[in-house]
Amino acid sequence: MDFNSTGNKVKHGILGLRNKKKKLVKLGTALGLAAVMFYPSARNDNNSMGASLVSLDEQMEEEIGFFPIVVPTIKYGLVLDTFQVEEGKIQKKQTLGTLLTGYGMDLLSIETLVKNASGVFNINRNFRVGKDYLLLLDRQTGKPKHLVLEPSVFEYVVFNLQGELNVQKVEREVDTKLKSVSGEISSSLWAALTQNEVDAEAASKMEDALECFVDFSHTQKGDRFKLLFEEKLIAGKTVGSNQVYAVSYHREGKDYYAFWYDDGVTKGFFDAEGASAKKGFLKSPLKFTRISSNFNPRRFHPILKTVRPHLGTDYAAPTGTPIYSIGEGVVEEAAFTKGNGKYVKIKHDKTYQTQYLHMSRFAKGIRRGTKVTQGQVIGYVGSTGLATGPHVCFRFWKNGKQVNHLREKLPQSKKMSPDKLNDFYKIRDNYLMMMEKEGVIDEDQFFPPSNETLDTEGGAAP
Ligand SMILES: [Zn+2]
């Protein structure tokens, strides 16, 4: 857990109060309560609020001089200031038991606590090395009173270490907002997305939506994108995203679109004309990557130092990056040779086969005969075999002959069924309108696909 994740200022809030402890007279507590009454927002579990109140407190102290006021820092449903607060990270080989016995808790109580945690919190899975914890101790006795863990930004768990020894999980309230962003690429797509505060989840979904139209390993300066998606927020902070509804990408005078459509039967991304965005093949077997060596029948080999045809396209990426099958098919080979290293070869149909070389390892379950879907992870980038560094050498066969897949006209996919097109066009136009705006979109403007809008107008395709 990162206790700073929901508000960097908590720590400062606590420390601020702690540091001031010496300056405060006992009167402080009583006045603190008065302050809560005057500033009811102090009860809020929002950290930045707590922090701003601390500074308000400071300000008042400065102004009035002898009139110190403590405003409680309330977090995890607890008044943190009434405890001695210990923050730490779970160490190697440390267990809940060793942590708590270290603070003088007896084994029988710990056993009860673990029992009470079952069904609420999976200790085995979530009590892991490197995770943060917050321990609240009695200020007088030093005995542990509460332990707080945060398995994810979406929830926290309070272990009550006295009394009934119960364990409570609290799920944080997640707000969603429909958001429209646009940007232009000046260095990389990733940079442009983060500059525009698009979280990694939405960025990845955007790539998924357009991967059959746009080769993202070839992004260029001046490319532009627009994105309409639903953002997830906790206490006003982005924590991820749900659905991406629409994407447009502009490159060299051409616009590419993908629109999300889901009426319960037909589901997926479609282009502006209602053709499925999932074409026969993906453009590249990796995400967020670059081509380090093109298909070249007369390449000078960097290791062998001779002219040797390079009948593949090399994509450089860090070791461990997932490699995707660019299409549906069956694994023909998952093997190792001196030159290829660990590689996977997939047969897609009578015409096409693809091969992925130099893997560090295969994905789980990938072996000869395994059926794979488009976009399925089949292995991870490595540098096994004849490779100067971590990359995938990607090879594409057409009728048994290796060809440059970037030059191929690949099979087109089908359109959505005609009876749904009117509904789809309406939704598409609505998305387009919303994409013209920037920032948070009024939810009232949003209407999801529905069967009710079907057949209300006859064949008015734009
Ligand atoms: Zn290669």
Side-chain angles (χ1 to χ4, degrees):
M1 141 182 57
D2 174 8
F3 283 101
N4 295 332
S5 65
T6 50
N8 296 319
K9 283 154 194 155
V10 171
K11 219 178 211 166
H12 306 245
I14 299 165
L15 291 176
L17 283 168
R18 253 205 228 146
N19 295 343
K20 263 185 286 165
K21 211 163 61 182
K22 283 179 206 149
K23 285 190 269 169
L24 300 176
V25 291
K26 288 219 169 112
L27 196 64
T29 318
L31 287 168
L33 288 174
V36 175
M37 291 168 78
F38 279 107
Y39 305 105
S41 52
R43 292 182 184 278
N44 201 315
D45 196 17
N46 185 326
N47 308 318
S48 55
M49 187 72 81
S52 68
L53 282 164
V54 169
S55 59
L56 178 68
D57 175 25
E58 267 165 356
Q59 201 184 323
M60 289 179 80
E61 201 178 346
E62 223 166 82
E63 281 169 13
I64 312 167
F66 56 89
F67 200 67
I69 291 173
V70 182
V71 179
T73 309
I74 299 176
K75 211 186 165 192
Y76 310 112
L78 299 161
V79 185
L80 297 188
D81 321 311
T82 58
F83 300 98
Q84 184 189 328
V85 180
E86 301 274 335
E87 282 181 50
K89 273 190 199 303
I90 298 167
Q91 303 295 310
K92 238 181 176 176
K93 291 193 179 165
Q94 192 169 38
T95 63
L96 185 69
T98 57
L99 172 68
L100 295 177
T101 49
Y103 285 91
M105 202 167 160
D106 64 280
L107 287 171
L108 197 67
S109 300
I110 294 171
E111 212 173 282
T112 310
L113 193 68
V114 170
K115 213 180 284 168
N116 291 344
S118 81
V120 181
F121 178 76
N122 186 331
I123 295 173
N124 288 335
R125 194 191 308 156
N126 292 306
F127 198 87
R128 282 206 319 258
V129 182
K131 287 241 175 197
D132 294 318
Y133 65 81
L134 192 71
L135 201 55
L136 305 178
L137 310 172
D138 187 294
R139 282 189 156 186
Q140 261 81 48
T141 64
K143 281 192 176 160
K145 296 194 99 172
H146 309 278
L147 172 71
V148 187
L149 298 172
E150 218 172 309
S152 75
V153 295
F154 298 103
E155 59 191 5
Y156 64 86
V157 181
V158 178
F159 292 75
N160 293 308
L161 308 176
Q162 287 186 347
E164 287 175 32
L165 300 165
N166 58 346
V167 179
Q168 293 164 294
K169 182 161 83 179
V170 179
E171 288 185 13
R172 292 202 163 100
E173 203 178 311
V174 180
D175 299 320
T176 57
K177 266 182 189 163
L178 193 63
K179 211 171 139 186
S180 169
V181 284
S182 65
E184 185 169 327
I185 285 139
S186 55
S187 56
S188 72
L189 175 63
W190 187 251
L193 287 165
T194 43
Q195 264 160 32
N196 287 280
E197 290 175 350
V198 176
D199 67 288
E201 226 175 321
S204 175
K205 285 170 186 165
M206 167 179 160
E207 273 219 356
D208 284 344
L210 283 177
E211 67 195 337
C212 291
F213 309 123
V214 180
D215 183 353
F216 285 101
S217 52
H218 272 123
T219 51
Q220 292 160 22
K221 206 177 159 176
D223 288 1
R224 292 193 302 272
F225 68 87
K226 282 182 189 158
L227 188 59
L228 179 72
F229 67 107
E230 193 179 74
E231 195 177 42
K232 283 190 282 195
L233 304 111
I234 291 178
K237 230 187 132 181
T238 305
V239 291
S241 66
N242 291 321
Q243 189 61 53
V244 163
Y245 291 106
V247 192
S248 79
Y249 198 86
H250 179 92
R251 171 181 292 172
E252 290 170 343
K254 263 191 95 174
D255 288 300
Y256 303 89
Y257 293 98
F259 303 95
W260 178 254
Y261 184 87
D262 178 9
D263 66 358
V265 182
T266 303
K267 184 174 165 179
F269 283 103
F270 294 86
D271 72 8
E273 308 310 319
S276 170
K278 287 280 171 213
K279 290 249 171 62
F281 295 110
L282 306 182
K283 289 268 186 193
S284 136
L286 297 175
K287 280 185 191 175
F288 302 118
T289 179
R290 66 184 170 83
I291 290 177
S292 51
S293 173
N294 273 301
F295 188 94
N296 178 0
R298 289 193 52 80
R299 181 181 70 153
F300 187 75
H301 196 281
I303 293 179
L304 300 173
K305 310 278 183 212
T306 53
V307 173
R308 266 198 137 196
H310 185 231
L311 301 176
T313 304
D314 288 351
Y315 293 90
T319 299
T321 305
I323 302 167
Y324 304 94
S325 171
I326 67 156
E328 204 178 66
V330 178
V331 175
E332 266 191 324
E333 293 171 63
F336 178 88
T337 64
K338 249 182 170 174
N340 293 352
K342 281 189 186 167
Y343 72 95
V344 171
K345 191 171 182 182
I346 294 169
K347 187 180 168 76
H348 298 286
D349 53 29
K350 270 188 267 172
T351 317
Y352 299 107
Q353 290 157 295
T354 55
Q355 194 183 12
Y356 313 77
L357 275 53
H358 311 306
M359 289 178 173
S360 54
R361 61 190 172 95
F362 304 129
K364 213 177 153 194
I366 295 299
R367 61 182 78 89
R368 196 186 150 85
T370 306
K371 274 191 182 166
V372 294
T373 56
Q374 184 181 69
Q376 185 176 331
V377 177
I378 51 167
Y380 301 89
V381 173
S383 46
T384 56
L386 270 184
T388 45
H391 76 282
V392 185
C393 182
F394 175 69
R395 295 169 176 228
F396 194 87
W397 272 265
K398 188 181 179 182
N399 298 318
K401 218 181 138 218
Q402 292 190 64
V403 295
N404 184 353
H405 75 289
L406 298 172
R407 294 234 179 107
E408 287 298 307
K409 276 213 159 175
L410 297 170
Q412 288 284 309
S413 68
K414 286 179 293 185
K415 258 192 153 183
M416 75 162 59
S417 69
D419 59 331
K420 294 188 176 181
L421 275 176
N422 277 334
D423 191 33
F424 171 74
Y425 289 142
K426 270 192 241 168
I427 285 152
R428 175 199 67 185
D429 293 345
N430 189 43
Y431 285 161
L432 285 170
M433 186 193 78
M434 289 189 281
M435 278 205 289
E436 289 310 311
K437 301 173 180 174
E438 279 286 312
V440 176
I441 306 281
D442 186 355
E443 301 272 341
D444 294 346
Q445 293 182 21
F446 182 73
F447 50 90
S450 83
N451 285 312
E452 282 136 51
T453 56
L454 278 183
D455 307 324
T456 49
E457 290 163 41

